[in-house]
Amino acid sequence: MKKQIQYLFTVLALMTATTLVAQADHSDGDELYQQHCAACHGSDGSGGVGVPLNLPDFLAVASDDYLRKTVRNGRPGRVMPAFPLLSEDEVGAIIQTVRGWSGVPPPDYDSKPLKGDAVRGKQLFTQYCVACHGERGQGGEGTGVTFSRPREAPIMAPALNNPGFQQSVSDAMLKATLLRGRHGTPMPSITELGLKEGDADDLVAWLRQLPADSAPVRKSESPVIRMESSYSFEETLDNLKKAISARNFRVIREQTLDSGFVEKNKESRRQYIVYFCSFSFLNEALSIDPRVGLFLPCRVTLQETEKGIELVTINPENLSHLFNNRELDKACERMHRLYTEILEEATL
Amino acid sequence: MRIWLAGILLMVAASVNAQDLYMARSQMAFPETMIALQKAIKVQGYTLSRVQRVDIGLTKSGFKTDRYRVVFFGKPEEIRELGDRYLDLVPYLPLKIAIFAEGDETLLLASSFEHLRPFYTQADIRKHFDVWETDLQHILEQVRLSE
């Protein structure tokens, strides 16, 4: 009981400290931005894993309402998380910081829906927009700008069919974006393409009819893939390495779980980790989302249990859920298949 | 009393562990950030076990990438004890933080244990998750604020 009370006081002290920090930060938009946004969007808004926010053309057309809803709703399945726990004041302070980069007052849009011809809009979209934004408006491949990893385009085209985007953007803002384009990105003004204001109305009408990408982000049924082996430890290890090589992956490291924690030669081989990799696969995965290196290269652990030897690895289908990145689904399915095949081959 | 305690702890856990990934940006270059990270990990009471150099293999294989590492760490006793008791937690041990350069700045990334909570209902392991999450966030915040 005494321990429980001590623990409770520790937790309460932590909670109080967190609250105090949060209160101190309420009015400090810059600190809030650095705390919640800079990791992805860059210290100065120049982009990174997330899209750049400091582009003058973006800030000239992005309304405060759009920014507020974007922070609140996020982009389901597209890296940008929702921030439901930030207070209105905190969101407002962050927007002020972002707004401060341009010195241009926020645009004030009429909230009335625009009237346009969606059928014609679809034709225009197919002709002028599909190459970057995709047939379903699903956006370009990859994740934001990753300066650490060279890309052909400085920014990926955003997903226009994303429910978070559709909820946040007004018709008038869409139209303003089409007419102005976005310098510093591949997005031109439609006037440079020879289109007129009426064409923008038609395009907006079509963008509003794009079927929303509402597929749920994958959630796994188990955190691990685990298989028992009827072979001895050494035989299973040998089988595992052969199965890895058979799939053109290379074993890059072997170590015990306690390696680095205990003196050399005193490690326990009860839990033995085999790391393996295909660098083209790793490169491909990092291109989709540069953050997945947290769970790569591949790793399988051999364990001695009461029942015998077993192989266990993470379940990669957990990844898309963690990274809020639906684009990872296919790569994770492949990884799941690969792990399963390797584990089966090594144990059966 | 127990119900009351559990209620408060749940409330705190819910407010602290609301996200799956923790990210932080350091305005320092990669080498300085790596030093600050290793220091913050040690100050938090953990032992560094290894640094995995993801970028080396990539560049050797002809792929262009900036510096990218994964830093592994833990408390030896904790790793041994949990590794023995929770065999299916082993693929997620030791703790780790990915660190990669983005131009002149550096990004840091750690996974919370939110995605593992549905699979682990035991109070003792959840307590470890709570502590690790608080520590991971603290480490990242220390590095973010380092100059």
Side-chain angles (χ1 to χ4, degrees), chain A residues 34-154:
Chain A
Q34 295 303 330
Q35 222 175 330
H36 298 290
C37 319
C40 288
H41 293 288
S43 305
D44 57 355
S46 56
V49 175
V51 297
L53 301 175
N54 65 0
L55 297 172
D57 280 342
F58 169 69
L59 291 169
V61 296
S63 65
D64 283 355
D65 184 55
Y66 169 79
L67 295 173
R68 190 176 300 108
K69 286 177 177 165
T70 295
V71 173
R72 285 282 180 237
N73 302 329
R75 296 284 183 270
R78 296 287 291 190
V79 179
M80 169 75 185
F83 289 88
L85 297 179
L86 290 174
S87 71
E88 278 302 303
D89 285 353
E90 288 172 324
V91 175
I94 290 172
I95 291 172
Q96 266 192 326
T97 293
V98 171
R99 187 65 65 200
W101 293 326
S102 74
V104 176
D108 189 17
Y109 293 118
D110 191 333
S111 59
K112 275 195 301 192
L114 289 175
K115 285 181 184 167
D117 180 348
V119 175
R120 198 167 165 276
K122 184 181 180 182
Q123 288 167 358
L124 294 171
F125 185 82
T126 306
Q127 194 175 350
Y128 295 105
C129 315
V130 162
C132 293
H133 290 282
E135 279 180 27
R136 292 172 287 112
Q138 73 273 26
E141 290 179 3
T143 300
V145 186
T146 50
F147 292 120
S148 57
R149 305 181 49 71
R151 290 278 179 89
E152 286 174 15

Side-chain angles (χ1 to χ4, degrees), chain B residues 63-147:
Chain B
F63 297 104
K64 285 182 183 173
T65 182
D66 211 328
R67 281 160 293 189
Y68 200 133
R69 312 267 200 273
V70 181
V71 178
F72 291 88
F73 57 97
K75 294 178 178 168
E77 275 302 305
E78 202 171 63
I79 297 292
R80 202 183 59 196
E81 189 203 324
L82 291 173
D84 285 346
R85 284 172 53 213
Y86 296 98
L87 292 174
D88 52 358
L89 189 64
V90 168
Y92 294 96
L93 297 175
L95 303 178
K96 55 192 165 179
I97 291 177
I99 166 169
F100 56 99
E102 196 174 75
D104 296 334
E105 298 189 337
T106 310
L107 284 173
L108 301 126
L109 174 77
S111 167
S112 82
F113 293 86
E114 195 59 31
H115 65 295
L116 294 180
R117 286 178 190 272
F119 307 106
Y120 296 90
T121 48
Q122 303 91 329
D124 64 332
I125 190 68
R126 284 180 166 237
K127 204 165 85 180
H128 279 291
F129 290 165
D130 291 343
V131 172
W132 289 341
E133 279 167 343
T134 307
D135 287 351
L136 283 167
Q137 289 179 84
H138 188 74
I139 290 166
L140 294 184
E141 190 63 0
Q142 288 304 306
V143 179
R144 183 178 77 81
L145 297 173
S146 297
E147 289 176 351

Side-chain angles (χ1 to χ4, degrees), chain A residues 1 15 31 38-39 43 148 221 223-224 253 255 270-271 275 279 283 290-291 293-294 297 299 303 318, chain B residues 1 12 25 27 50 52 61 63 66 68 83-84 88 90 92-93 96 101-102 105 107 109 115 119 144:
Chain A
M1 188 58 179
M15 203 166 72
E31 174 54 22
S43 305
S148 57
E221 291 171 3
V224 294
R253 185 181 173 86
Q255 66 166 79
R270 215 180 141 229
Q271 279 145 335
Y275 286 95
F279 287 103
N283 188 61
R291 301 172 301 170
L294 187 62
R299 158 184 168 172
Q303 301 194 130
N318 228 7
Chain B
M1 179 67 170
V12 174
R25 177 180 291 270
Q27 293 187 36
R50 188 165 78 86
Q52 185 170 286
S61 299
F63 297 104
D66 211 328
Y68 200 133
D84 285 346
D88 52 358
V90 168
Y92 294 96
L93 297 175
K96 55 192 165 179
E102 196 174 75
E105 298 189 337
L107 284 173
L109 174 77
H115 65 295
F119 307 106
R144 183 178 77 81

Side-chain angles (χ1 to χ4, degrees), chain A residues 49-333:
Chain A
V49 175
V51 297
L53 301 175
N54 65 0
L55 297 172
D57 280 342
F58 169 69
L59 291 169
V61 296
S63 65
D64 283 355
D65 184 55
Y66 169 79
L67 295 173
R68 190 176 300 108
K69 286 177 177 165
T70 295
V71 173
R72 285 282 180 237
N73 302 329
R75 296 284 183 270
R78 296 287 291 190
V79 179
M80 169 75 185
F83 289 88
L85 297 179
L86 290 174
S87 71
E88 278 302 303
D89 285 353
E90 288 172 324
V91 175
I94 290 172
I95 291 172
Q96 266 192 326
T97 293
V98 171
R99 187 65 65 200
W101 293 326
S102 74
V104 176
D108 189 17
Y109 293 118
D110 191 333
S111 59
K112 275 195 301 192
L114 289 175
K115 285 181 184 167
D117 180 348
V119 175
R120 198 167 165 276
K122 184 181 180 182
Q123 288 167 358
L124 294 171
F125 185 82
T126 306
Q127 194 175 350
Y128 295 105
C129 315
V130 162
C132 293
H133 290 282
E135 279 180 27
R136 292 172 287 112
Q138 73 273 26
E141 290 179 3
T143 300
V145 186
T146 50
F147 292 120
S148 57
R149 305 181 49 71
R151 290 278 179 89
E152 286 174 15
I155 182 174
M156 65 178 281
L160 305 174
N161 66 348
N162 187 276
F165 176 73
Q166 289 277 350
Q167 284 163 25
S168 304
V169 73
S170 66
D171 282 8
M173 182 178 152
L174 278 172
K175 182 174 179 177
T177 305
L178 287 163
L179 290 172
R180 188 177 181 119
R182 200 155 287 168
H183 289 104
T185 81
M187 171 78 189
S189 156
I190 61 165
T191 57
E192 290 168 30
L193 304 171
L195 301 181
K196 303 274 191 287
E197 198 177 332
D199 298 321
D201 293 340
D202 295 342
L203 275 164
V204 171
W206 168 242
L207 292 177
R208 284 295 182 206
Q209 291 197 7
L210 281 173
D213 180 11
S214 54
V217 173
R218 185 182 304 283
K219 285 194 178 186
S220 59
E221 291 171 3
S222 165
V224 294
I225 306 171
R226 195 171 170 177
M227 285 184 202
E228 289 173 13
S229 169
S230 55
Y231 298 99
S232 69
F233 184 94
E234 293 305 331
E235 283 170 328
T236 310
L237 178 59
D238 194 42
N239 290 346
L240 175 64
K241 288 183 191 174
K242 281 178 185 158
I244 289 167
S245 300
R247 276 153 193 84
N248 295 322
F249 278 68
R250 194 148 46 97
V251 173
I252 52 171
R253 185 181 173 86
E254 296 173 41
Q255 66 166 79
T256 60
L257 176 65
D258 57 5
S259 169
F261 292 116
V262 296
E263 278 179 55
K264 272 199 170 178
N265 304 320
K266 288 194 177 171
E267 296 108 334
S268 161
R269 272 173 73 90
R270 215 180 141 229
Q271 279 145 335
Y272 192 78
I273 304 167
V274 176
Y275 286 95
F276 57 99
C277 187
S278 149
F279 287 103
S280 61
F281 182 79
L282 176 61
N283 188 61
E284 194 187 323
L286 291 173
S287 301
I288 297 171
D289 192 321
R291 301 172 301 170
V292 294
L294 187 62
F295 290 99
L296 292 171
C298 304
R299 158 184 168 172
V300 173
T301 306
L302 278 89
Q303 301 194 130
E304 277 184 52
T305 71
E306 288 168 359
K307 293 178 187 170
I309 304 298
E310 71 164 24
L311 295 178
V312 61
T313 181
I314 60 159
N315 182 351
E317 291 189 343
N318 228 7
L319 283 178
S320 306
H321 166 57
L322 277 184
F323 290 82
N324 190 33
N325 188 346
R326 212 168 285 141
E327 220 185 307
L328 279 175
D329 278 357
K330 282 182 189 167
C332 291
E333 273 174 28

Side-chain angles (χ1 to χ4, degrees), chain B residues 10-80:
Chain B
L10 267 176
M11 195 173 73
V12 174
S15 65
V16 173
N17 307 317
Q19 54 193 119
D20 288 318
L21 291 174
Y22 304 125
M23 283 182 77
R25 177 180 291 270
S26 161
Q27 293 187 36
M28 296 186 295
F30 184 88
E32 287 79 18
T33 307
M34 178 60 107
I35 292 168
L37 172 61
Q38 298 194 9
K39 188 180 162 197
I41 289 170
K42 285 177 191 165
V43 167
Q44 203 63 28
Y46 291 93
T47 304
L48 283 159
S49 62
R50 188 165 78 86
V51 176
Q52 185 170 286
R53 303 169 75 181
V54 179
D55 51 336
I56 303 294
L58 280 170
T59 45
K60 274 186 183 168
S61 299
F63 297 104
K64 285 182 183 173
T65 182
D66 211 328
R67 281 160 293 189
Y68 200 133
R69 312 267 200 273
V70 181
V71 178
F72 291 88
F73 57 97
K75 294 178 178 168
E77 275 302 305
E78 202 171 63
I79 297 292
R80 202 183 59 196

